[in-house]
Amino acid sequence: MALLRHTPVEVMERKSLTINPAKTCQPIGAMYAALGIHGCLPHSHGSQGCCAYHRSALTRHYKEPVSASTSSFTEGASVFGGHANLIQAINNIFTVYDPEVIAVHTTCLSETIGDDLKQIFDKATKEGKVPAGKTLVGAATPSYVGSHVTGFSNMVKAMAQLAEPSGRKTHKVNVIPGWVEPADMAEIKRLCAMVGVDVTLFPDTDGVLNAPLTGEYKMFPDGGVTIEALKRTGDALGTLALGEWCSADAARWLDAKCKVPCTVLDMPFGLAATDRFIDVLRTVAGVSVPDSVSNERGQLVDMISDMHQYFYGKRVAIWGDPDQLISMCEFLVSLDMQPVYVVTGTPGKAFERRIREICADQPFEVKVKAKGDMFLMHQWIKNEPVDLLIGNTYGKYIARDEDIPLLRWGFPILDRQGHQYFPTVGYKGGLRLLEKILDLLLDRKDRDDPETKFELVL
Amino acid sequence: MAKTKKLVQLTPTDIKEDILAKYPPKVARKRAKQIMINEATGSDSPPEILANVRTIPGIITMRGCTYAGCKGVIMGPTRDIVNITHGPIGCGFYSWLTRRNQTDAGPDGDNFMTYCFSTDMQDQDIIFGGEKKLAAAIQEAYDLLHPKGICVFATCPVGLIGDDIHAVARKMKEKFGDCNVFAFSCEGYKGVSQSAGHHIANNQVFTHLVGEQTKAQEGEFKINLLGEYNIGGDGFEIDRIFKKCGITCLSTFSGNSSYDQFARSHHADLNLVMCHRSINYVADMMETKYGIPWIKVNFISADSTAKSLRKIGEYFGDEALMERIEEVIAEEMKGVQAALAEHKPHTEGKTAMLFVGGSRAHHYQDLFTELGMKTLSAGYEFAHRDDYEGRQVIPDLVPDADSRNIEEIEVSADPELYNPRKSAEELKALEDSGFEFKEYEGMNKQMADGTIIIDDLNQYEAEKLVELYKPDIFCAGIKEKYSIQKNGVPMLQLHSYDYGGPFAGFKGAINFYKTVDRLVSSKVWSYTEAPWQKSPELTGTFVWE
């Protein structure tokens, strides 16, 4: 009995029906990014359900409180516009919850009726609804364009737009980490500190979505990038944007408007992408890479060489967000693994091109699809199976039906813990990824080997 | 437990004032009517509560939307209908498997619950209209899966751009001939909470599905169970008990439900209503159209389960059935008593708060009562006044602009299928003996005087209540869970049962006792402070011997 028993082997072309999406909508990305601002309450401008769904999804993923408010549209607001709701909301939020910042994002509802956030913000400010020293941030995040990744990017760009260049350069480098876990953001900060680069990381959900249990709830935890720091991003030496889809827009805006030069890099998952990140950091800071970092790198290379026989030639199906997939595929290929099926729901032809480049001249053919879905990927697997699945929790149905191990990685992970605490970026993160992949492959080997071949030492 | 208890010196009136003090005046005036100090038990005319009204913008509410109530709650658990969300991808994605809709389709039965179907509308669909894409998507689903039914759910932008989803559904239904297609105008902005979505869903199921199959199912004592969603296997446990008693459940609306079950539900002789909030009007409509009487039941808590079973026995008036019911109760109660003997010593005298659903905060108090626990404060997320004050207030409810948006369907006796299950005399005799048809008393009567009842609780008020009362357990949903727990108070999710369950029926009650005992007795809350935080001032230095 199969859980996805209706998925046929034959692939029928679908033009209009998406089944089992490998993406979700913009506002949740904006909400996640906004949580990486210190003292910020994300606000969803639309009907209540969006906010409830996004809070639920983020809460289930992080097992942490996710506070966010909503404009609570009913039919009236949908017809006459949401101005009144948002102005009232801003007043209520500052009075009741007293955040430093409200980061508003739109929904498909408020976008369709054409609410203009900037205009509403001006009105709220004129009417004295924004107390002195408090900040409003706004991002347009229509759900029918792009994906959750686009929403993240749009909110990050709105954060960059807070920059107020003073003309006095700081010694800091802006680092935009992209949609990664709080632990990854912490790891990126740690690596930068090791190399000796003073950075402003934004957004920064470290400390916000991995907060300790102390017996005292803080609606606004200690973490997050401050508004002051965001204002000074316009004076930075430069910006490193990790990920074309998540981070490049904000970095290019700072480059164009504030003359802060930017470099767009891949997210530092795996060996090569981390190498390039460290190399650029070194150049930016004008320092040599400390031995401590080189040692971490060497440890990762050591583990790859130690266990190469188990990685070699293994076929992998992988789905998720473009920036993450690009680095992960490169890592898998560098291990001599074979990412044969690569699917993202996020649109973008450049993604397909990039994956094909990474997999060019390899002893396998890659099937890659942007704007794809997990139903199609499952059909590919049914036609020619794989040894490993890498992706979010929704893959567990395929994993069970087809009896393939699943490495949970990406968003959302609803049924396992640890992703908010243990990074998968950098060399340390690479070690953790390898450990997890090995555990899955070797557990499978131990389960499947005949008694004669059951080995103590592997 | 090393936790220190906060002694409440404040009166409920002080607490209410304390909560309201922080609000802007307009907000405070509205919330004052939604926060009630209970005096229902001792008073003839208990105070009115304001419910089923708009949430105030900017207030961090527990509520969801109409789409969530329609697609997620009511239609989600129907395994063999293909549910297509017409809209951008988010709504479909978030309602994909997140409500724990357990089902048993057997080895070969259709089960589409593990799939998420969406038209994934793009900006050009919003600009030029999405009807063509919807029709094509329905066609693709039909070609691929050949289901008995396809349902379409409208999201916010669909309502705004004016796609006629009902016309598309009608056209496709005619085209297929062997697949029922119908649609729901359940845009998120309609109504003020999920409750509107329940209503829209039920109306369409009643209009397009119920009564479709003429062939009656065999069985003695045929009932439907309405308003039971099989969270954590609740429905499975209730089914087990029914089978043991010899009661035939034709359909459950809508936990573990199937197309055929809905279609033949009109053959039942009695409707049982569990969650009265989500479905009492369907029971009313089925009575008017088919002549099936309905009673309110509750299978949450062992005593309530026993009471409800006896009520069913009494309705059918069959000696053998009543005897069997007593035997089942006696047998099941042995396990329940044993579990209580084990857990009650740990729970007795402890306190609870619960803010859940439209009748969950009501039903689950029975379980806490069995555990010897007191409910200090409770309220609903999407209830109407009758859920607090009892069914008798329904005639007094004044419809507002938001409730007028929700279609009321006119129902009359079906010329062929109407068949009163009991004669007027039989009904009267039952009523004279104290039997109650279509009656529920609401939460207020159940709660002690001086407890605080709050409609549409929000995050700030929840924090305040926890700070002032320090309850031993707090029950709400996933969004509330971790902020409460950061305060050192255990939180049990009563929408998803923290991925455990069942909590219904006899075995569910035992499971609940165990769960609550685990939560209120957990050592984890004693670890919140590190040893060095208890006396942070360093008064001496440690010297190695």
Side-chain angles (χ1 to χ4, degrees), chain A residues 1 3-7 15 17-18 20 23-24 64 67 70 75 92 96-97 144 211 213 215-217 394, chain B residues 22 27 54 56-58 60 94 96 106 109 111 114-116 118 120 123 136 140 192 405 459 485-487:
Chain A
M1 188 164 70
L3 288 160
L4 299 169
R5 62 185 78 169
H6 302 282
T7 305
K15 285 197 167 126
L17 186 65
T18 294
N20 300 352
K23 67 165 177 183
T24 181
E64 283 292 317
S67 297
T70 160
E75 208 146 58
N92 287 334
V96 181
Y97 306 107
Y144 36 76
L213 178 64
E216 191 196 344
Y217 168 59
Y394 284 95
Chain B
K22 195 160 191 186
V27 178
R54 292 178 188 185
I56 300 154
I60 303 179
Y94 303 117
W96 179 18
N111 180 13
T114 46
Y115 294 86
C116 164
S118 170
D120 185 13
D123 45 0
E140 287 175 6
V192 300
N405 286 337
Q459 184 165 314
Q485 292 197 163
K486 287 273 197 253
N487 279 313

Side-chain angles (χ1 to χ4, degrees), chain B residues 306-429:
Chain B
K307 205 171 137 193
S308 296
L309 289 174
R310 289 190 176 113
K311 211 167 160 186
I312 299 165
E314 208 183 323
Y315 168 81
F316 284 107
D318 181 276
E319 288 299 328
L321 174 67
M322 287 194 273
E323 217 168 280
R324 219 160 36 237
I325 285 172
E326 289 307 325
E327 281 164 20
V328 170
I329 293 171
E331 194 190 321
E332 297 280 336
M333 276 298 185
K334 282 182 210 150
V336 171
Q337 293 309 336
L340 275 177
E342 185 189 341
H343 299 293
K344 202 170 171 178
H346 309 144
T347 55
E348 181 104 61
K350 294 215 154 82
T351 56
M353 289 185 180
L354 50 168
F355 294 90
V356 224
S359 61
R360 284 179 186 260
H362 179 191
H363 292 153
Y364 289 78
Q365 288 192 44
D366 293 346
L367 281 165
F368 284 118
T369 306
E370 287 173 0
L371 285 167
M373 293 174 67
K374 187 186 174 189
T375 302
L376 296 172
S377 184
Y380 297 127
E381 189 179 331
F382 49 78
H384 301 204
R385 264 184 65 200
D386 49 307
D387 300 302
Y388 293 102
E389 298 171 49
R391 196 169 163 82
Q392 74 283 354
V393 301
I394 287 182
D396 307 337
L397 299 184
V398 188
D400 60 11
D402 294 311
S403 49
R404 277 196 201 95
N405 286 337
I406 315 303
E407 181 198 29
E408 288 290 344
I409 48 180
E410 283 291 320
V411 177
S412 55
D414 189 286
E416 281 159 34
L417 297 171
Y418 182 79
N419 162 32
R421 303 316 203 259
K422 296 253 179 204
S423 69
E425 298 79 51
E426 284 171 324
L427 288 176
K428 187 166 183 309

